[in-house]
Amino acid sequence: MRNGELMTDFVGSLDNGDEWVQWLLLEKLPQGMGEGAAAQLASDNKSTLNVLAPTTVKNYPAFEASITTNYTAGKSVLPVTSTSHAKAHAVAVIEPRCSVTPGGATDFIEFDCDGGRHWKIDPKHLDDPALPEAKDLFSVHLAE
């Protein structure tokens, strides 16, 4: 899921009760999350996305991807390389960087993220350019 798609979903959840908490803690992921971004990343690297399957790693959401290059390995002393395409497999894990402390009734949405960053968002002003970016909310890393 590209940063724009991800943040559109986040902002959309802010005015829908406590749905934003489930979204922020990755308890409820949107259907089809990540497919567009994975296909684009493969394409940017002159490859084709063959498989993208949701999975979990250590109870965190993850995506298993397999790609094949659109080009061959080229000529070498091994004749088969001129028609061989490289294949790769990886699992990317998404971990939340933020935590939510239940509080009393408030007009603001508040949560804390890694690095001591405290966010206080007014759901009536969601056009604020100071809203967090995906990189502020989540860590994505390879598991295998």
Side-chain angles (χ1 to χ4, degrees), residues 88-126:
H89 171 267
V91 176
V93 181
I94 306 169
E95 294 185 40
R97 288 186 164 173
C98 306
S99 60
V100 178
T101 305
T106 178
D107 292 335
F108 295 95
I109 292 168
E110 297 186 61
F111 52 92
D112 297 300
C113 297
D114 291 353
R117 181 71 196 254
H118 178 78
W119 294 95
K120 184 175 182 178
I121 299 171
D122 183 347
K124 295 176 185 156
H125 298 354
L126 296 177

Side-chain angles (χ1 to χ4, degrees), residues 2-143:
R2 292 181 289 277
N3 189 50
E5 292 173 307
L6 192 63
M7 296 317 294
T8 298
D9 285 350
F10 174 65
V11 170
S13 74
L14 292 175
D15 62 357
N16 197 7
D18 284 341
E19 182 179 310
W20 68 272
V21 174
Q22 290 178 323
W23 189 93
L24 188 68
L25 300 178
L26 298 171
E27 295 170 351
K28 183 179 176 184
L29 296 177
Q31 188 71 18
M33 180 177 164
E35 291 174 18
Q40 184 62 52
L41 183 60
S43 177
D44 291 348
N45 287 285
K46 299 178 183 154
S47 300
T48 299
L49 177 67
N50 300 320
V51 175
L52 181 69
T55 186
T56 58
V57 174
K58 297 182 182 176
N59 293 320
Y60 291 114
F63 292 92
E64 184 173 358
S66 294
I67 61 114
T68 303
T69 60
N70 295 335
Y71 53 91
T72 63
K75 293 181 182 180
S76 78
V77 294
L78 301 172
V80 72
T81 63
S82 66
T83 59
S84 296
H85 295 264
K87 296 178 188 240
H89 171 267
V91 176
V93 181
I94 306 169
E95 294 185 40
R97 288 186 164 173
C98 306
S99 60
V100 178
T101 305
T106 178
D107 292 335
F108 295 95
I109 292 168
E110 297 186 61
F111 52 92
D112 297 300
C113 297
D114 291 353
R117 181 71 196 254
H118 178 78
W119 294 95
K120 184 175 182 178
I121 299 171
D122 183 347
K124 295 176 185 156
H125 298 354
L126 296 177
D127 56 348
D128 186 346
L131 286 173
E133 295 183 35
K135 66 182 181 180
D136 299 316
L137 305 177
F138 306 104
S139 168
V140 179
H141 58 89
L142 293 178

